[in-house]
Amino acid sequence: MPSQLVKEYFRTENLPHIWCPGCGNGIVTRAIVKAIDNLGLNKDEVCVVSGIGCSSRASGYLDFNTIHTTHGRALAFATGIKLAKPNLKVIVITGDGDASAIGGNHLIHAARRNIDITTIVFNNNTYGMTGGQYSPTTPTGDKGTTAPFGNIDMNFDLCELAKAAGATYVSRSTIFTANMLIKQVENGIKNNGFSFIEALTICPTYYGRKNRKGEAVDMMVYLKENAINIAAYDKLPKEQREGKFVIGEIYKSKRPEYTEEYQKIIDSFSEGV
Amino acid sequence: MSTKTEVSLIVEKNWCKGCGICVAFCPKNVLEIKNGKVNIRDLEACIQCGQCELRCPDFAIYLGGK
Ligand SMILES: Cc1ncc(C[n+]2csc(CCOP(=O)(O)OP(=O)(O)O)c2C)c(N)n1
Ligand code: SF4
Ligand code: SF4
Ligand code: SF4
Ligand SMILES: [Mg+2]
């Protein structure tokens, strides 16, 4: 018998899920659900939109309004849904490839618009679903099916990208620090604007194996040991930052929200009638 | 003698994929992998911190009851 949380928010008839043993996707998915539960949202007021990838399959397991869309386009669908039904809490579930390769353009423009959508990127540094090709977040030098001698591209810092593009809530956590992730999803949903949450997760099957990162537990230990809270990171001398990454709430600001601005235009015409 | 009657540690063995994450991060060494699945080896030691539930990718272990 599943837990209360799982019974309440999952389509348990579809469980156990398809993800590999030790895949981090389940940890992120549970964190999202826990955040929604903590906020006490009505299930019918939530719409979960995902793209394509192992991570994007999460929507199929969740018992909200859900839509599993096309590769890279979750934010385009989500924008339409939010404009049609501005009262819905729209949550986008996407992968690093989905969000920042094929869907990179949608990402920067959704952020620029500051539309009230909470986007959670399951960043496993690879295209898991298609067999471990390198993605825009594969660290330079790491291997992928399409980079057998090591990736020569610079990898994106997704949080810096989202911040520069105009997101008004930007944070990062890991599947090890899952409690922090839960809090961030809560705060992201509460932010009236575009919220971007990067969940650092693991793909032991492809990224892990190709890069000799060990088993799921070893990959979790790596996240545990190299993630540094933003306040501590800022105080760290440059040479000690090598190989470390920031977690925490990276950026918060206030700007007009897109659907509210759009409504003002509509209202300006109806007032005249 | 059990003082922890209110909340119990529950395992959904059919969903467990034996990844060992819960075992590795349990602060009290309550869990082990046995025949490819999680097994509660020392329930008395459990402090009900919920870390196993928090990080189980398969929703296969949790604190429940009452
Ligand atoms: C238009 C289109 N191009 C390519 C694909 C093949 N494809 C499916 S998933 C995927 C990448 C998924 O990577 P990511 O978003 O990081 O998700 P993950 O599987 O790692 O969770 C690709 C390239 C597709 N389905 N549709
Ligand atoms: S291939 Fe990687 S990302 Fe996909 S389910 Fe398996 S471990 Fe997870
Ligand atoms: S609740 Fe805490 S102490 Fe008990 S088994 Fe889980 S991780 Fe270990
Ligand atoms: S974390 Fe979950 S799936 Fe992995 S061994 Fe423990 S109970 Fe099983
Ligand atoms: Mg990926």
Side-chain angles (χ1 to χ4, degrees):
Chain A
M1 204 178 58
S3 71
Q4 271 312 113
L5 188 80
V6 171
K7 252 192 279 181
E8 173 77 18
Y9 297 103
F10 283 77
R11 295 175 181 145
T12 48
E13 68 275 18
N14 296 344
L15 294 173
H17 56 59
I18 192 181
W19 296 316
C20 306
C23 172
N25 288 343
I27 307 176
V28 184
T29 306
R30 182 189 177 277
I32 294 168
V33 159
K34 184 70 184 161
I36 292 170
D37 186 56
N38 287 349
L39 290 173
L41 301 179
N42 178 331
K43 283 204 283 190
D44 293 335
E45 286 166 9
V46 175
C47 184
V48 177
V49 186
S50 68
I52 295 293
C54 293
S55 40
S56 288
R57 295 193 71 136
S59 59
Y61 298 117
L62 296 174
D63 190 23
F64 304 99
N65 300 292
T66 64
I67 173 167
H68 191 180
T69 70
T70 55
H71 195 29
R73 316 293 173 217
L75 276 165
F77 282 87
T79 298
I81 291 165
K82 185 69 189 177
L83 277 166
K85 298 250 180 232
N87 291 332
L88 284 179
K89 297 283 181 198
V90 179
I91 297 171
V92 165
I93 287 179
T94 175
D96 45 304
D98 197 62
S100 70
I102 191 169
N105 206 34
H106 296 297
L107 174 64
I108 58 175
H109 293 291
R112 185 170 66 87
R113 284 170 159 168
N114 194 35
I115 186 163
D116 184 23
I117 292 171
T118 301
T119 295
I120 298 120
V121 179
F122 293 43
N123 183 3
N124 57 6
N125 313 100
T126 193
Y127 294 175
M129 177 168 264
T130 45
Q133 294 79 9
Y134 69 86
S135 88
T137 66
T138 304
T140 312
D142 278 4
K143 293 188 172 122
T145 323
T146 43
F149 308 109
N151 173 27
I152 59 171
D153 292 347
M154 185 195 82
N155 52 289
F156 267 143
D157 179 326
L158 292 182
C159 287
E160 289 302 320
L161 179 73
K163 178 185 165 188
T168 49
Y169 179 92
V170 179
S171 72
R172 181 186 291 124
S173 186
T174 76
I175 52 169
F176 181 79
T177 47
N179 272 327
M180 179 194 279
L181 181 60
I182 293 167
K183 197 74 219 160
Q184 290 178 359
V185 175
E186 283 177 43
N187 289 344
I189 293 172
K190 281 198 266 181
N191 174 46
N192 184 29
F194 191 76
S195 299
F196 182 86
I197 298 155
E198 181 181 2
L200 295 179
T201 179
I202 58 172
C203 169
T205 301
Y206 291 113
Y207 178 78
R209 264 187 216 161
K210 276 185 202 309
N211 291 288
R212 302 183 185 281
K213 299 281 185 190
E215 307 284 317
V217 169
D218 303 306
M219 296 178 82
M220 296 274 289
V221 169
Y222 175 83
L223 292 176
K224 178 187 176 198
E225 289 179 349
N226 293 291
I228 302 189
N229 224 295
I230 185 156
Y233 189 87
D234 288 342
K235 289 188 204 119
L236 216 61
K238 261 227 159 72
E239 61 277 10
Q240 288 180 31
R241 290 184 183 178
E242 193 60 42
K244 306 286 178 196
F245 42 86
V246 179
I247 53 169
E249 294 187 321
I250 288 165
Y251 183 71
K252 285 189 230 177
S253 70
K254 287 254 168 290
R255 271 195 312 120
E257 192 276 324
Y258 189 75
T259 56
E260 287 175 10
E261 295 305 300
Y262 198 87
Q263 189 59 43
K264 282 183 199 163
I265 304 278
I266 296 170
D267 291 346
S268 74
F269 282 96
S270 33
E271 273 159 22
V273 191
Chain B
M1 186 196 75
S2 177
T3 48
K4 293 150 192 157
T5 45
E6 280 167 44
V7 183
S8 48
L9 188 61
I10 301 166
V11 169
E12 173 65 54
K13 273 223 163 107
N14 292 332
W15 288 3
C16 172
K17 292 175 188 162
C19 69
I21 291 173
C22 59
V23 178
F25 301 112
C26 168
K28 293 292 169 188
N29 201 18
V30 172
L31 309 166
E32 64 180 354
I33 298 291
K34 207 174 174 181
N35 302 324
K37 303 259 180 186
V38 70
N39 181 54
I40 303 173
R41 55 168 283 278
D42 185 8
L43 184 61
E44 282 303 305
C46 174
I47 53 167
Q48 303 180 345
C49 65
Q51 292 199 56
C52 48
E53 179 175 359
L54 182 70
R55 301 197 189 94
C56 171
D58 289 273
F59 327 125
I61 186 164
Y62 62 97
L63 296 170
K66 274 221 187 127

